[in-house]
Amino acid sequence: MNNQKKFCDKLLAAIESNQSLLYLTLDPQPETFPDTLSITTDFLAKAKLAIDQTADLISACKITLGFYQSLGIPGWELLQQILAIIPPHIPVILDAKHCDLNTSTLFAKTVFEDWQVDAVTLSPYAGFDQVAPFLLYPNKTVFVLCATANPTAAALQEYPTPENPLYLQLVRVSQTWGTPEKLGLQVGVMPDMLARIRQAAPERLILVEGDIPEQNDLTEQNDLAELLAAGLSKNGEGLLLPIPPSLFASQEPRLEIQKLRDNINEQRLRAIAGSPTCELWLPDVCFLQPEPHRDLILQLYDIGCVVFGDHVQASGAVFPYYIDLRKIISIPQIFHQIVSAYAEILKGLKFDRIAGIPYGSLPTATGLALRMERPMIFPRKEVKTYGAGKLIEGHFQAGETIVVVDDILISGKSVMEGAAKLKSAGLNVEDIVVLIDHEQGVKDKLQVNGYRAHSVLALSEIAQILYQANRIDTEQFQLLTAEH
């Protein structure tokens, strides 16, 4: 189980890749098919088509267990077939609303181990004991049902008074059961109630169920804007919205779904326009050829990480530009992508611990340690003259292999000094991983000194992408690519 990718990581990767908060519902509606055989054959073909049409427009798939249960054995077989055709990079949410305390442990094992779904919805009225067996799975997430849009549910949800309703008490208590990445909330399409829930749970992921406005007219556009304003977190995230089933009945389903996604993204930008603490980045150019790190490079430029003008580097050299990577820790969307990019390289390396070079790469090293569940240490920039006077902070054993993480390679001086401190403590250092390589033969220099260097980006790659996107002019491109 520990080798499986976390739901939150899969979801965020899909959101970033597809720039979408939409999820696809894959539920057979028995009343729309003449018989059970038709459901299990025709619906499977229909589901495949829907996935093909939306794979690059959605962030997740949701399956309502009750529909499959109602079909008996053919339904269980159909469920397995549906799970098999969903692309592995798209997270799967099983909408089970499970509520039986006695079978929670067995059901959690079935859905998370046997069916390999990424998240499940639960009815929480049996309390924490009902939810706990599901929280034991480190890479999985649960969504607690806290409010539905069914009109007659108000008698219970708003008890004892609308000012202090039961559903808000449920929201408050459930947040003590698990972290934001482990426990989210499930809510019906109700802007007023959604706004109160978002206020009470600002960091939680909210799964919206029901029919959202389709934006066919001004009224529906306003309703959608109201729903988004009520449910989005302050950084324009934290919300999963269903694709309206009626869009698949249109003449061009993919086009309509794409329009809905783009409209939601526009509303996301408006929703955070006044927030000084966190910004959402969306692409504004279209390219014919794919580049794996293009969006990341454009984002780094757009938040001001590439600055032109004479700047003194840490090595003492003066460059006509400066790359400032310290801003990334204030933009969660970008920081997550950067940590993911480092992690892809580290997955292919053998090491016991991660070491960050102070001070610029310490946040990244910390993020990697948490992401990869590997211990972290770091060599001090200066040895303390008080306390224990340690040269290396953190627990380690002599003879262990350390992978060194730094932000940028210019001369290689600082990273080799850090590696030398680690080696002086009896540790082995073979690999050094950075975000940006200035090139100019620095990797060769490191290799001569016994280190293998790896980088996410090269400066020439950054310059080329920025030039293609008209972010920089010819003169600036030449400045970035000139030898220094």
Side-chain angles (χ1 to χ4, degrees):
M1 289 185 295
N2 289 335
N3 293 328
Q4 298 171 11
K5 196 168 184 179
K6 291 182 179 180
F7 167 79
C8 58
D9 291 339
K10 288 179 69 174
L11 179 69
L12 191 51
I15 289 174
E16 292 170 349
S17 174
N18 297 342
Q19 290 297 315
S20 178
L21 299 181
L22 293 172
Y23 67 81
L24 173 64
T25 300
L26 295 170
D27 295 337
Q29 303 282 351
E31 63 273 12
T32 63
F33 296 90
D35 51 49
T36 301
L37 179 61
S38 177
I39 296 175
T40 56
T41 55
D42 295 351
F43 179 73
L44 183 61
K46 182 180 178 181
K48 287 181 179 178
L49 178 60
I51 292 172
D52 290 342
Q53 291 174 326
T54 64
D56 60 345
L57 298 175
I58 60 174
S59 56
C61 287
K62 184 171 80 71
I63 295 173
T64 303
L65 182 61
F67 282 114
Y68 295 86
Q69 286 178 315
S70 67
L71 298 173
I73 293 177
W76 291 112
E77 294 173 347
L78 176 61
L79 174 61
Q80 298 307 313
Q81 292 174 312
I82 294 296
L83 290 172
I85 64 173
I86 297 174
H89 67 278
I90 298 178
V92 177
I93 303 168
L94 184 71
D95 194 358
K97 298 184 178 68
H98 188 265
C99 59
D100 182 48
L101 178 63
N102 295 324
T103 58
S104 287
T105 299
L106 180 59
F107 188 69
K109 181 180 182 300
T110 297
V111 300
F112 287 154
E113 294 187 31
D114 299 341
W115 297 354
Q116 293 290 306
V117 302
D118 301 289
V120 67
T121 66
L122 305 175
S123 180
Y125 282 94
F128 176 68
D129 292 340
Q130 150 75 10
V131 180
F134 299 86
L135 297 174
L136 294 176
Y137 290 81
N139 298 329
K140 308 299 184 179
T141 293
V142 301
F143 288 91
V144 170
L145 175 65
C146 59
T148 79
N150 186 19
T152 61
L156 294 174
Q157 291 175 170
E158 297 189 9
Y159 180 85
T161 66
E163 292 74 28
N164 186 29
L166 177 63
Y167 74 84
L168 282 186
Q169 175 64 10
L170 197 158
V171 170
R172 287 190 287 266
V173 171
S174 66
Q175 290 182 88
T176 68
W177 296 345
T179 62
E181 69 175 24
K182 290 287 295 173
L183 188 142
L185 305 171
Q186 186 176 24
V187 183
V189 181
M190 302 163 294
D192 292 345
M193 193 174 287
L194 184 59
R196 297 186 69 183
I197 291 171
R198 173 54 72 202
Q199 184 177 15
E203 297 180 349
R204 298 288 159 163
L205 178 62
I206 297 178
L207 176 69
V208 174
E209 64 171 348
D211 292 332
I212 67 171
E214 298 178 23
Q215 65 175 7
N216 290 329
D217 54 37
L218 183 59
T219 299
E220 288 190 341
Q221 291 176 19
N222 291 337
D223 290 344
L224 179 61
E226 182 183 10
L227 183 70
L228 292 169
L232 288 172
S233 63
K234 65 181 181 180
N235 58 342
E237 299 174 343
L239 204 60
L240 294 179
L241 300 159
I243 297 175
S246 58
L247 293 187
F248 287 99
S250 63
Q251 292 184 342
E252 297 182 282
R254 177 177 169 79
L255 180 60
E256 293 300 319
I257 295 169
Q258 190 169 3
K259 286 180 180 178
L260 176 61
R261 181 201 64 176
D262 294 344
N263 187 31
I264 289 172
N265 284 338
E266 290 177 8
Q267 298 294 339
R268 292 169 70 190
L269 288 172
R270 293 193 186 101
I272 63 170
S275 172
T277 58
C278 189
E279 297 178 359
L280 174 71
W281 185 92
L282 296 171
D284 61 353
V285 290
C286 180
F287 296 88
L288 298 179
Q289 297 296 326
E291 291 286 348
H293 297 301
R294 178 183 287 127
D295 282 356
L296 177 58
I297 292 170
L298 295 179
Q299 290 175 81
L300 290 174
Y301 180 82
D302 289 348
I303 66 171
C305 290
V306 181
V307 181
F308 289 93
D310 289 343
H311 290 81
V312 180
Q313 309 297 314
S315 63
V318 178
F319 288 0
Y321 58 85
Y322 179 61
I323 297 180
D324 180 8
L325 296 176
R326 310 219 172 188
K327 297 183 178 183
I328 62 176
I329 60 175
S330 298
I331 318 286
Q333 180 193 19
I334 300 176
F335 186 54
H336 175 87
Q337 291 181 69
I338 288 173
V339 170
S340 297
Y342 273 98
E344 285 301 313
I345 296 176
L346 264 65
K347 286 177 183 177
L349 306 178
K350 292 183 179 180
F351 60 93
D352 299 302
R353 300 178 192 274
I354 299 169
I357 299 299
Y359 295 102
S361 67
L362 290 184
T364 302
T366 303
L368 282 166
L370 292 171
R371 170 73 61 81
M372 304 186 76
E373 298 182 351
R374 305 293 289 273
M376 172 190 161
I377 60 175
F378 68 90
R380 291 191 60 85
K381 198 175 184 70
E382 61 287 313
V383 179
K384 293 189 297 183
T385 57
Y386 54 90
K390 292 182 178 180
L391 178 64
I392 312 295
E393 295 290 355
H395 177 73
F396 60 90
Q397 298 290 335
E400 290 181 326
T401 298
I402 308 300
V403 60
V404 173
V405 171
D406 204 359
D407 51 3
I408 189 166
L409 275 182
I410 297 180
S411 67
K413 179 175 178 290
S414 62
V415 74
M416 284 196 290
E417 288 177 350
K421 292 176 182 178
L422 295 167
K423 293 170 73 173
S424 72
L427 297 167
N428 299 320
V429 179
E430 299 174 352
D431 295 287
I432 293 172
V433 184
V434 300
L435 180 64
I436 298 176
D437 173 25
H438 261 249
E439 298 166 292
Q440 312 300 331
V442 182
K443 282 186 175 180
D444 294 335
K445 178 181 177 182
L446 290 177
Q447 187 172 9
V448 170
N449 285 271
Y451 305 111
R452 292 188 295 264
H454 315 263
S455 61
V456 176
L457 303 170
L459 187 60
S460 60
E461 177 188 4
I462 294 173
Q464 188 66 40
I465 293 298
L466 295 180
Y467 186 64
Q468 290 176 351
N470 294 319
R471 292 296 203 277
I472 60 175
D473 56 29
T474 302
E475 181 182 357
Q476 292 170 324
F477 173 77
Q478 293 172 346
L479 290 175
L480 288 176
T481 53
E483 293 189 8
H484 302 287

